[in-house]
Amino acid sequence: MLDGVTTALLRTILEEVCENVSPYDAGVRAYVASKILEAATKGETRPDLLRQIGQEALSKAPTMWR
C-alpha cells in the first residue's frame, strides 16, 4: 500500500500529464494512472521518471480513447 505522500505525488503527476486531456476521457486518464501506479508499486518514486512513464502511456493510449 502506498503512503499519503506518494499518493499525492502520483495524483499531481497524473494531473500534469493529463492536463490537455478532457475530463470526459476517463479511459485515457485511467490508462495513464494505471501505468504510473504500476511503476510506483514496483518501487519507483522519482517524479521525473514517473512523469516520463505517464507521458509514454498517454502517447500509447488506445486511439478509441482519444
Side-chain angles (χ1 to χ4, degrees):
M1 181 168 226
L2 301 173
D3 63 31
V5 173
T6 303
T7 301
L9 172 65
L10 299 182
R11 286 180 189 268
T12 300
I13 290 171
L14 178 63
E15 290 306 315
E16 289 174 4
V17 170
C18 293
E19 68 182 343
N20 294 319
V21 175
S22 169
Y24 300 106
D25 286 337
V28 171
R29 290 177 161 310
Y31 181 77
V32 173
S34 72
K35 295 301 181 181
I36 295 170
L37 181 59
E38 179 182 342
T41 56
K42 291 180 180 177
E44 186 55 63
T45 58
R46 294 177 293 173
D48 58 330
L49 189 54
L50 290 170
R51 194 171 292 109
Q52 179 182 347
I53 290 166
Q55 290 169 341
E56 288 174 10
L58 180 61
S59 71
K60 294 178 182 177
T63 54
M64 66 183 228
W65 290 347
R66 288 192 260 162

